[in-house]
Amino acid sequence: MEQKRFKDEHGYKYDFAAVIRRGEQVAVHCPRCQGQAFISRSKKDCYYVVRCSHCYYTYQQPESYTFYARGVCNHCERYFNIEIHDDRTKLHKNTNINCPYCETLNQVPVHRVQSREWHTDVIQNGKDPIFQLQLYFLDYYRGKPVWALNRIHLNYLLSYISAELREKPTSGMMRTASHSIPKYIKDAKNRQAILKILQKLQHKPAAKRGASIHEHTNFLQP
């Protein structure tokens, strides 16, 4: 009998950032109704957004700004750009600040620059790295998490775990998409138990039919 073969995919395809970058969505539990919600990235300003297709809960990653005092020193005529940390100073149009080169006091404008808060892309404790919401496709094997970011990722895991022979891609980067799968999931002795969990996750209810998660854009506080 011919063994079931599986040809792996390249690199970091199922990392959180890679999934979002491709325009796919990450399935999580809605914090309001616990139904299936999705994390994506807003095309307008690139902030992360979570939307629920059941209760229409929508929440955008809060905007953040960095403030700078910029100008040319009246004395040494050198340009400087100093980050402002004092919250009261951030509210002013101008501020008095010492030149970092000659220490002359200058009055310069305060500039507000939109910034992006850095987040790890690693899934920890079965939660997404942006909003810390529990992944929708999540279960446990002997207390250890078994999860998928979305149905595409879930189908990949099912194909990988069920295969008896696994082949690496013939070209490209050395690492494959399976490099980040935990050892206890890959272990042959756990195969049947892990497959049972993945098949159970595969039968979880899909998003509510007839409701587009892109239609509702009124951002609500959590």
Side-chain angles (χ1 to χ4, degrees):
M1 185 176 176
E2 188 177 352
Q3 292 179 306
K4 190 174 182 181
R5 292 175 178 268
F6 174 82
K7 190 170 184 178
D8 208 346
E9 301 177 51
H10 289 294
Y12 302 86
K13 185 173 182 179
Y14 297 105
D15 286 1
F16 179 89
V19 169
I20 294 294
R21 231 179 359 251
R22 288 197 302 273
E24 296 176 18
Q25 299 167 324
V26 173
V28 293
H29 279 284
C30 173
R32 177 181 289 171
C33 72
Q34 293 304 307
Q36 186 179 17
F38 297 92
I39 295 173
S40 60
R41 182 170 278 180
S42 168
K43 293 180 180 180
K44 182 179 179 181
D45 51 24
C46 292
Y47 278 102
Y48 288 100
V49 180
V50 57
R51 296 184 177 96
C52 178
S53 58
H54 294 264
C55 69
Y56 306 122
Y57 169 88
T58 306
Y59 181 64
Q60 178 176 281
Q61 179 187 13
E63 294 182 354
S64 60
Y65 296 93
T66 304
F67 294 79
Y68 296 92
R70 296 176 182 171
V72 177
C73 177
N74 294 323
H75 179 69
C76 69
E77 298 184 346
R78 297 178 71 177
Y79 173 80
F80 58 85
N81 183 26
I82 302 173
E83 184 175 350
I84 298 171
H85 298 285
D86 181 68
D87 289 337
R88 291 175 297 179
T89 303
K90 293 176 182 179
L91 299 175
H92 299 157
K93 290 184 178 180
N94 298 285
T95 186
N96 294 316
I97 196 165
N98 292 323
C99 171
Y101 305 106
C102 68
E103 298 187 354
T104 300
L105 187 65
N106 292 266
Q107 186 179 78
V108 295
V110 174
H111 295 267
R112 187 181 76 168
V113 179
Q114 194 173 37
S115 59
R116 296 286 185 269
E117 186 178 350
W118 181 86
H119 294 276
T120 177
D121 292 325
V122 178
I123 302 295
Q124 296 180 333
N125 302 316
K127 295 181 179 180
D128 81 88
I130 307 300
F131 301 102
Q132 293 297 301
L133 298 174
Q134 188 181 75
L135 296 177
Y136 188 71
F137 298 109
L138 171 68
D139 208 327
Y140 292 87
Y141 173 72
R142 294 184 177 179
K144 297 178 180 180
V146 177
W147 52 266
L149 295 175
N150 52 33
R151 288 194 181 274
I152 297 173
H153 186 202
L154 181 58
N155 290 335
Y156 166 82
L157 291 173
L158 278 162
S159 298
Y160 178 87
I161 300 301
S162 62
E164 296 169 325
L165 288 176
R166 297 163 184 158
E167 301 175 356
K168 292 185 177 181
T170 54
S171 62
M173 64 174 65
M174 294 294 291
R175 281 194 171 182
T176 61
S178 62
H179 83 274
S180 59
I181 300 176
K183 186 178 179 180
Y184 61 89
I185 293 179
K186 293 180 179 180
D187 200 326
K189 67 180 181 181
N190 298 331
R191 177 181 292 168
Q192 293 307 315
I194 296 296
L195 278 175
K196 188 175 180 180
I197 290 171
L198 293 174
Q199 289 164 354
K200 177 184 172 183
L201 292 175
Q202 196 176 37
H203 288 91
K204 291 192 73 171
K208 186 178 179 181
R209 292 185 178 181
S212 170
I213 62 172
H214 300 288
E215 292 175 353
H216 305 274
T217 55
N218 294 321
F219 297 135
L220 305 175
Q221 295 297 322

